[in-house]
């Protein structure tokens, strides 16, 4: 046993003869004994790291007692076993002992005194470091990213252009004004660093960057990274929820949001949490809804004013959808908008039958916000069961819609429903972009979306008026067109059957939740599209807690695998200006980013990350990741150099030009 642990177990403290000190010493000794027999073989006798597990001395202070108790009971997906038998006083003593842990000499998290180029001294805690860089939490509670110079001193670095929210800005266009990377030098792009999220098979989040720090999430985990080196600064993690339903059970989480000194994210069990963005410490936690009623959460929250706004998931399990706003300081709920009315409320007449009792209408993607109009726009998912409409006759409001809300109150301003009475799982989660452009010769505030149902839409976002709609995929059979009001004209004989019906597009849609991008310099809208049909098979079922509620299944057309095509659309006509077909099975989920450098970057169907000319579609560059894309890229300027980052498989990869 180490001297450090022996000292703690001995209870060698001042005033140890007092009754209170004696009780504390006995509890500490008992906790130390539990640690020595249950934890030390992995984490080391001083908890500063061992052969089989990392140091925990820098993690314990960032967790509440309840979180530590839950972690001990459930374990972690990263390999830490569960200890459900450590209960009662034994668990209390162990947690108390963990609170006494300190870094040993030479540990990664240790006091540091650093001299800068200007001669000033920085003092604080070195959260991580290498021979060339350091991430230091100063005694002033500020986070410093440092680089060692040739003289042995350090200089501070940060980002000059951030990516502070899921889509970069609140308008949802995935466009950046950065232009160091251009259509003339994109062929020189190279991987600058790679960070692996070890507990996640398929990262779906978009990294965000604020003040040089990158925040990346997976289910119940958040990492803070040095955006210039990929070096970890801190890692927040809690156990995944046993028995959770929906895609969160597979580890899906699409990102975070930052405001002030907090980073916000949802947990798999539909809680919204705020972490200190410098340390990863939990600041507050709010239960949005009881997850036992088939809810989960996967989307990146959206910061609007003093509130943080989030939706929920669970639509494929029959959970009733909502969007809610919470105070950034306290986590207290400010308002809630339900996407499906209750019986007797306005709109409930569009639900004839028992389907309104488990209606779905989930809100699992991030919304957009127009500051000038002070309007929040949120996409709404499909009704349930997904493939059966027998018990929900009518349009089923507000499913498959965009709802425009007052961000102060949550009151509905207007809505537009893309697919009334949906039986094909055509949710409205394809990201809408808010675009200011000329329309028929006059300035107009537009909303553009390439909907999952295969139609390209242009709306007036001040009032929801339908302006344009046309097919954007070569394979569309479920409808023959749109009415002048934008309502689909349903083709007979194109509903799911017990035997299986061939319908286009397939259930994953002509596009889906991954990002599209509008570039104001080219006036083109870039979308990863799927020319693909599928077999829709109906399976009759009843709603059950803890079970899926899709009402069937689907598969691709065995006679025609389809294809994935990157298309650039003229928003005034809905027609493709250029197309870039890809090689693959047509079922990947890589999104799109465009920049002022005349470049479009996207996750391709052959598992590569690629770049194309924004005006012509000419292929410029590709990097073989060998992992299928399931996320959307972003870009930022760090230490005056432009980076592009994307999640692919279990990795975050940052690319840049040669030094």
């Amino acid at each position: 046993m180490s001297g450090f642990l022996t000292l703690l177990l001995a209870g060698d403290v001042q005033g140890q003869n007092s009754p209170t000190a004696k009780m504390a010493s006995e509890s500490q000794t008992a906790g130390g004994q539990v640690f020595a027999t249950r934890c030390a073989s992995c984490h080391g006798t001083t908890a500063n790291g061992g052969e089989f597990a990392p140091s925990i001395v820098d993690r314990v202070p960032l967790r509440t007692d309840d979180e530590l108790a839950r972690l001990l009971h459930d374990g972690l997906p990263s390999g830490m076993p569960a200890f459900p038998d450590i209960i009662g006083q034994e668990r209390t003593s162990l947690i108390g002992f963990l609170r006494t842990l300190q870094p040993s000499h030479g540990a990664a998290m240790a006091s540091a005194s650093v001299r800068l180029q200007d001669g000033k001294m920085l003092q604080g805690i070195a959260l991580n470091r290498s021979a060339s860089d350091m991430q230091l939490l100063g005694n002033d509670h500020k986070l410093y990213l440092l680089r060692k110079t040739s003289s042995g001193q350090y200089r501070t670095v940060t980002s000059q252009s951030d990516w502070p929210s899921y889509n970069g800005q609140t308008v949802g266009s995935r466009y950046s004004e950065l232009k160091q990377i251009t259509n003339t030098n994109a062929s020189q792009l190279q991987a600058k660093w790679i960070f692996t999220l070890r507990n996640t098979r398929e990262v779906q989040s978009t990294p965000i960057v604020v003040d040089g720090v990158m925040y990346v999430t997976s289910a119940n985990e958040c990492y803070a990274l040095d955006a210039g080196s990929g070096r970890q600064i801190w890692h927040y993690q809690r156990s995944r929820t046993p028995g959770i339903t929906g895609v969160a059970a597979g580890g899906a989480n699409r990102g975070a949001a930052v405001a002030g000194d907090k980073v916000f994210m949802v947990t798999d069990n539909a809680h919204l949490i705020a972490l200190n963005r410098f340390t990863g410490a939990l600041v507050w936690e709010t239960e949005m809804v009881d997850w036992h009623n088939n809810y989960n959460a996967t989307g990146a929250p959206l910061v609007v004013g003093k509130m943080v706004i989030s939706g929920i998931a669970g639509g494929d399990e029959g959970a009733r959808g909502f969007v809610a706003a919470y105070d950034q300081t306290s986590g207290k709920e400010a308002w809630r908008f339900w996407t499906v009315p209750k019986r007797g409320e306005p709109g409930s007449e569009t639900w004839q039958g028992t389907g309104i009792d488990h209606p779905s209408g989930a809100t699992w993607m991030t919304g957009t916000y127009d500051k000038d109009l002070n309007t929040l726009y949120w996409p709404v998912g499909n009704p349930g069961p997904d493939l059966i409409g027998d018990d929900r006759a009518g349009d089923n409001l507000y499913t498959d819609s965009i709802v425009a809300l007052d961000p102060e109150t949550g009151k509905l301003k207007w809505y537009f429903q893309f697919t009334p009475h949906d039986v094909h799982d055509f949710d409205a989660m394809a990201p809408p972009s808010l675009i200011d452009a000329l329309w028929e010769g006059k300035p107009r505030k537009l909303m553009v979306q390439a909907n999952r149902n295969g139609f390209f839409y242009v709306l007036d976002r001040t009032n929801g008026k339908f302006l344009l709609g046309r097919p954007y995929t070569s394979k569309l059979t479920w409808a023959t067109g749109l009415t002048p009001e934008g309502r689909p004209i349903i083709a007979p004989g194109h509903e799911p059957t017990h035997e299986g019906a061939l319908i286009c597009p397939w259930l994953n849609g002509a596009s889906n939740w991954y990002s599209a991008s509008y570039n104001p310099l080219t006036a083109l809208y870039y979308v990863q599209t799927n020319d693909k049909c599928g077999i829709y098979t109906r399976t009759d079922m009843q709603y059950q807690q803890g079970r899926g509620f899709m009402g069937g299944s689907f598969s691709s057309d065995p006679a025609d695998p389809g294809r994935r095509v990157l298309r650039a659309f003229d928003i005034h006509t809905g027609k493709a200006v250029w197309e870039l077909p890809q090689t693959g099975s047509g079922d990947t989920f890589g999104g799109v980013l465009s920049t002022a450098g005349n470049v479009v970057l996207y996750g391709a169907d052959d598992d590569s990350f690629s770049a194309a000319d924004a005006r012509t579609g000419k292929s410029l560059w590709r990097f073989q990741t060998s992992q299928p894309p399931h996320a959307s890229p972003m870009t930022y300027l760090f230490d005056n150099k432009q980076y592009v980052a994307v999640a692919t498989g279990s990795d975050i990869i940052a690319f840049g030009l040669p030094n």
Side-chain angles (χ1 to χ4, degrees), residues 324-339:
Y326 304 86
D327 179 80
Q328 292 175 17
T329 302
S330 65
K332 181 180 179 180
E333 183 175 313
W335 55 256
R336 177 173 298 209
F337 174 82
W338 291 96
T339 60

Side-chain angles (χ1 to χ4, degrees), residues 336-412:
R336 177 173 298 209
F337 174 82
W338 291 96
T339 60
V340 175
K342 288 184 177 180
R343 291 179 181 271
E345 294 180 346
S348 62
E349 69 278 1
T350 66
W351 292 79
Q352 299 297 316
T354 60
I356 195 171
D357 297 327
H358 303 290
S360 301
T363 50
W364 45 274
M365 281 303 293
T366 306
T368 52
Y369 172 67
D370 185 322
K371 182 178 180 181
D372 293 336
L373 295 176
N374 193 31
T375 301
L376 176 71
Y377 306 92
W378 212 276
V380 182
N382 52 274
D386 302 37
L387 306 187
I388 303 176
D390 300 0
D391 294 327
R392 50 177 175 86
D395 286 354
N396 307 149
L397 293 177
Y398 296 96
T399 63
D400 289 1
S401 300
I402 291 288
V403 291
L405 307 176
D406 183 329
E408 307 299 329
T409 64
K411 299 296 184 182
L412 181 68

Side-chain angles (χ1 to χ4, degrees), residues 377-542:
Y377 306 92
W378 212 276
V380 182
N382 52 274
D386 302 37
L387 306 187
I388 303 176
D390 300 0
D391 294 327
R392 50 177 175 86
D395 286 354
N396 307 149
L397 293 177
Y398 296 96
T399 63
D400 289 1
S401 300
I402 291 288
V403 291
L405 307 176
D406 183 329
E408 307 299 329
T409 64
K411 299 296 184 182
L412 181 68
K413 291 186 174 183
W414 58 258
Y415 74 91
F416 182 86
Q417 189 176 41
F418 301 96
T419 313
H421 190 73
D422 179 18
V423 291
H424 298 100
D425 195 11
F426 288 155
D427 59 49
M429 295 302 163
S433 296
L434 312 184
I435 297 169
D436 293 341
L438 292 177
W439 188 265
E440 297 179 345
K442 297 180 180 179
R444 201 153 187 177
K445 293 184 177 297
L446 307 174
M447 174 184 287
V448 176
Q449 188 194 57
N451 193 273
R452 183 168 172 170
N453 68 15
F455 287 98
F456 180 87
Y457 295 85
V458 181
L459 308 178
D460 183 323
R461 72 175 184 272
T462 66
N463 54 23
K465 182 180 179 180
F466 172 74
L467 301 177
L468 174 72
R470 63 169 294 135
Y472 67 91
T473 172
S474 62
K475 295 186 177 181
L476 196 159
T477 62
W478 74 276
T480 59
L482 301 174
T483 68
E485 297 75 31
R487 190 180 181 90
I489 303 169
I490 307 299
H494 283 79
E495 290 195 0
T497 66
H498 293 97
E499 299 75 26
L502 180 64
I503 303 169
C504 312
W506 73 323
L507 187 136
N508 278 353
S511 190
N512 209 295
W513 58 263
Y514 36 82
S515 66
S517 179
Y518 176 75
N519 189 318
L521 300 182
T522 64
L524 296 177
Y525 191 59
Y526 308 97
V527 185
Q528 283 278 53
T529 65
N530 302 316
D531 293 345
K532 189 165 183 173
C533 304
I535 307 296
Y536 290 71
T537 303
R538 169 176 170 155
T539 303
D540 296 330
M541 60 180 58
Q542 298 295 318

Side-chain angles (χ1 to χ4, degrees), residues 116 122-123 134-146 156-157 226:
L116 300 180
L122 275 180
Q123 293 183 331
M134 179 187 296
Q135 296 75 34
L136 184 138
L137 182 64
N139 290 341
D140 57 2
H141 304 294
K142 294 181 180 180
L143 188 61
Y144 294 90
L145 308 181
L146 306 173
T156 59
V157 291
D226 183 319

